[in-house]
Every structure is written in structure tokens, then in C-alpha cells.
């Protein structure tokens, strides 16, 4: 029997984003999600897949976080 689908069926498009911040990993994530939400609809979840940083003069210069972000298709 073929499925007729329902509101509980979900199909996601997954993209990768890289957020940066001079303050923290958390701010880098928030920056990426905030910017993506300005042009993408129906953002549903994210997964931090890589965290990196840049060192300047023995101090953390900035944080960089690569995210997988999923959103539902219309």
C-alpha cells in the first residue's frame, strides 16, 4: 500500500555554514544561524561538525564553527 503522506512526514535540505566570532564558539554559531535565517525559510536544526580558531600573538583571535543546517522544503 502506498503512503499518502502526512504532516509528520519531513524532508530536509541540508547545507553547510561557517560562522565566525571574536568572542566565542556560541556567538559564531548564533552568527551563522542568524544570517542564514535572513535568506532561508523553515530552518529546523543544526549540528556543529567542526570547531576551529585563529591564534594571534598567543591569544585567540577568532573562533570558526562549521555547521550542518537542516530546513524543510516547501
Amino acid at each position: 500500500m502506498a503512503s499518502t503522506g502526512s504532516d509528520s512526514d519531513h524532508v530536509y535540505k541540508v547545507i553547510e555554514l561557517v560562522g565566525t566570532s571574536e568572542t566565542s564558539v556560541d556567538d559564531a554559531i548564533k552568527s551563522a544561524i542568524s544570517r542564514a535565517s535572513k535568506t532561508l525559510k523553515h530552518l529546523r536544526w543544526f549540528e556543529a561538525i567542526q570547531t576551529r580558531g585563529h591564534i594571534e600573538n598567543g591569544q585567540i583571535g577568532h573562533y570558526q564553527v562549521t555547521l550542518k543546517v537542516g530546513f524543510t522544503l516547501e
Side-chain angles (χ1 to χ4, degrees):
M1 175 183 262
S3 173
T4 60
S6 71
D7 290 338
S8 65
D9 292 338
H10 298 286
V11 174
Y12 296 99
K13 172 79 174 172
V14 178
I15 60 169
E16 282 192 9
L17 303 174
V18 178
T20 63
S21 170
E22 294 179 354
T23 308
S24 69
V25 169
D26 189 51
D27 281 350
I29 293 169
K30 288 177 182 178
S31 170
I33 298 298
S34 176
R35 175 59 184 87
S37 71
K38 292 179 181 178
T39 56
L40 298 172
K41 296 180 183 179
H42 312 297
L43 297 176
R44 297 293 184 238
W45 58 267
F46 75 90
E47 175 185 2
I49 58 173
Q50 189 173 57
T51 303
R52 292 186 298 267
H54 182 74
I55 300 170
E56 297 173 358
N57 301 317
Q59 302 291 320
I60 296 173
H62 71 269
Y63 300 87
Q64 187 177 49
V65 181
T66 303
L67 305 172
K68 283 187 180 180
V69 177
F71 57 98
T72 53
L73 301 172
E74 291 186 331

